[in-house]
Amino acid sequence: MQCLECGRWLRALPAHLSRREGLTADEYRERHGLAATHPLVSSDLSERWRQQTTARLHAGEIAPISERQAPAATVAAGRAGTARHVETSSRPEVRERHRAAVAKGRSLAHANKRAALDALATARGYTDWEDLIRRTLHLSVNRIGQDVGRDPGTIAYWRDAILGPGWKDRDGRLHPKRQAAYDRLNRMFAERGWSNLEAAVAEVGSVRKLARLLGVGSHTLRAWQLHRRDPRSDATKPHPAAEDRR
């Protein structure tokens, strides 16, 4: 590894730091913003020492630390480690390691949840969780939640995550509630003679005022306008669930 003081490459830094740089290991780590556990010995040399120590333990040449160290010393070492953690928590490398650990933990938790959902879907005859989500778009989130034993919010989250917030079913039709909202906006705009969102805003004054007038959210108005501009959309095509209700 490279010494950050002089640039030399060495297999172990502690002796070099003491003889040539006049620094202890802790002083070196602090000066360069390194974690208290940042290794100062090359990985191959560290592994060799570990194997030698293990061999001596098995041969009975040395005793485990737990047998050589008094309980009070173990407690003191733990307190010293905690104090060092607090002292070094502001160092750049430590902050970066913490951020990486948090991100890894979240990613792992997400993967574990997804694996559990895949197993749940497989047990019900689907290929995986994504297959279940795509093949049940004609059902409400409450109905699916009851069938698979999950909260409706979980179903809604995965629909958005897999298909996007403006998802359509496998036949290209919108979610029934979104379709109903868009149909209502189509009627209200037609009754007032507005050709599009820009024309309505020009008359009313702002998107927020228009949303209050029509009793909808501003984000719904913008999503509706984007839907109208998409030539692949068909706002007049009824959804199967709507036909069933008729």
Side-chain angles (χ1 to χ4, degrees):
M1 56 181 56
Q2 187 177 31
C3 174
L4 300 178
E5 290 290 321
C6 64
R8 293 181 60 187
W9 289 87
L10 303 151
R11 299 182 69 194
L13 291 181
H16 166 77
L17 293 174
S18 177
R19 289 197 305 264
R20 298 294 182 89
E21 310 298 342
L23 295 171
T24 65
D26 287 342
E27 290 170 343
Y28 175 80
R29 291 187 178 104
E30 183 177 1
R31 175 177 293 190
H32 295 286
L34 304 176
T37 56
H38 185 91
L40 299 182
V41 178
S42 62
S43 58
D44 62 327
L45 188 58
S46 177
E47 177 62 19
R48 184 198 299 178
W49 288 348
R50 187 191 68 80
Q51 292 176 358
Q52 291 174 349
T53 301
T54 301
R56 293 184 66 190
L57 280 170
H58 290 165
E61 297 178 7
I62 58 175
I65 294 178
S66 59
E67 297 179 6
R68 289 183 282 133
Q69 191 174 54
T74 302
V75 173
R79 290 175 179 172
T82 300
R84 175 173 289 188
H85 171 75
V86 174
E87 178 185 349
T88 62
S89 61
S90 61
R91 295 179 185 175
E93 188 191 40
V94 177
R95 291 199 301 268
E96 184 59 33
R97 286 190 180 189
H98 287 175
R99 283 193 291 266
V102 170
K104 181 179 180 180
R106 288 175 177 171
S107 178
L108 181 61
H110 190 276
N112 289 339
K113 289 180 180 179
R114 181 60 185 269
L117 292 173
D118 284 340
L120 186 66
T122 302
R124 284 165 172 74
Y126 298 93
T127 304
D128 54 20
W129 183 249
E130 180 174 345
D131 183 45
L132 183 149
I133 290 295
R134 292 185 181 279
R135 289 171 58 186
T136 56
L137 292 176
H138 59 289
L139 301 175
S140 69
V141 294
N142 290 324
R143 170 68 181 279
I144 302 172
Q146 292 174 356
D147 290 345
V148 301
R150 288 295 186 273
D151 186 88
T154 299
I155 309 302
Y157 166 82
W158 282 105
R159 278 184 172 176
D160 286 351
I162 293 173
L163 305 172
W167 63 268
K168 300 176 183 179
D169 68 12
R170 59 179 176 271
D171 296 321
R173 291 179 283 247
L174 293 170
H175 183 283
K177 291 184 178 179
R178 187 179 292 270
Q179 183 68 69
Y182 287 175
D183 289 343
R184 179 169 171 266
L185 285 172
N186 287 335
R187 290 195 299 271
M188 289 191 292
F189 270 65
E191 291 170 357
R192 291 167 172 78
W194 297 327
S195 58
N196 52 42
L197 182 61
E198 288 79 5
V201 170
E203 180 176 329
V204 176
S206 69
V207 174
R208 183 174 297 180
K209 290 181 180 179
L210 179 62
R212 286 200 298 266
L213 176 65
L214 300 179
V216 298
S218 300
H219 65 282
T220 300
L221 284 172
R222 294 190 179 94
W224 167 77
Q225 181 73 346
L226 289 174
H227 172 70
R228 293 186 66 189
R229 289 173 179 172
D230 185 353
R232 295 170 298 177
S233 299
D234 184 2
T236 63
K237 193 174 184 179
H239 191 278
E243 292 179 351
D244 293 343
R245 287 194 296 271
R246 293 175 188 171

